[in-house]
Amino acid sequence: MKDLIMNFILEKDILGNIRLVLADGQSHDQVRIIRAFPISNPENGFSIVNQDGHELVWFESFDQLSAENQQIVHTYLEQIEFIPVISKITGLNTYALPSIWDIETDRGMTNLKLKTEQDIRRVSSEALLITDANGIQYLIKNRKTLDKFSKKVLDRFM
């Protein structure tokens, strides 16, 4: 799969690895694509880096890519990013720490173990990022739109 984008070409092999070919012919195997602001501005600011983490290409938005390369980038990012979005807190074992929360996410029902209050971080005035005891990060996009019980739990731990 080849497609010229601005001044470079992206290729995807059958194993899902991405290769970058620059305009001068330099080729970089197994590059990674990284969002600059994955939580606060996920649709803008992307870097393509080599295996050592050195930036090779920067692009501002998906709009700068062809449809084929947008698909390559989207597929890659879906495979490496895992931040479930919490829509509701349905249960809680205790208001003391550590506590186990039953939650509803965009990926289904699960639970998380909150070790400390510092594991809840504000991303913006409405958004929160919660890291559980296993290191999994959960996103609440807008805490103001949550139900009454979810707000009560968050207020207790913030």
Side-chain angles (χ1 to χ4, degrees):
M1 297 170 86
K2 292 184 180 185
D3 201 14
L4 185 61
I5 306 168
M6 298 184 305
N7 60 350
F8 61 89
I9 297 170
L10 287 179
E11 302 172 332
K12 184 176 176 183
D13 67 19
I14 59 172
L15 299 175
N17 296 315
I18 298 176
R19 180 179 185 196
L20 173 71
V21 180
L22 298 173
D24 64 4
Q26 280 187 335
S27 177
H28 300 273
D29 293 324
Q30 296 182 348
V31 297
R32 293 179 293 138
I33 302 165
I34 301 169
R35 292 182 200 263
F37 306 102
I39 307 274
S40 61
N41 193 1
E43 298 302 314
N44 295 300
F46 301 87
S47 185
I48 300 176
V49 299
N50 66 13
Q51 293 175 351
D52 297 324
H54 299 287
E55 185 175 86
L56 302 169
V57 174
W58 170 265
F59 59 96
E60 286 293 327
S61 73
F62 291 117
D63 295 340
Q64 293 178 291
L65 304 178
S66 68
E68 185 175 330
N69 280 322
Q70 284 183 28
Q71 184 61 41
I72 290 171
V73 171
H74 278 294
T75 301
Y76 176 83
L77 291 173
E78 285 174 2
Q79 291 173 346
I80 65 163
E81 294 177 341
F82 180 76
I83 302 179
V85 177
I86 297 174
S87 57
K88 187 176 190 178
I89 301 169
T90 59
L92 173 73
N93 73 332
T94 180
Y95 280 99
L97 290 170
S99 67
I100 298 174
W101 300 11
D102 297 320
I103 57 173
E104 188 177 306
T105 75
D106 61 338
R107 297 172 188 253
M109 300 292 291
T110 190
N111 57 46
L112 67 85
K113 182 177 181 181
L114 186 70
K115 293 188 301 186
T116 69
E117 290 152 342
Q118 288 78 27
D119 291 332
I120 302 174
R121 295 191 328 238
R122 292 181 194 272
V123 178
S124 69
S125 60
E126 296 89 21
L128 301 171
L129 192 63
I130 301 172
T131 305
D132 78 355
N134 296 316
I136 298 172
Q137 294 184 325
Y138 296 86
L139 178 65
I140 295 177
K141 289 185 177 181
N142 188 342
R143 64 190 179 112
K144 295 175 182 176
T145 62
L146 294 174
D147 64 283
K148 187 176 181 178
F149 178 74
S150 298
K151 288 178 185 178
K152 179 181 175 183
V153 171
L154 285 172
D155 287 344
R156 164 53 189 95
F157 290 101
M158 290 184 60

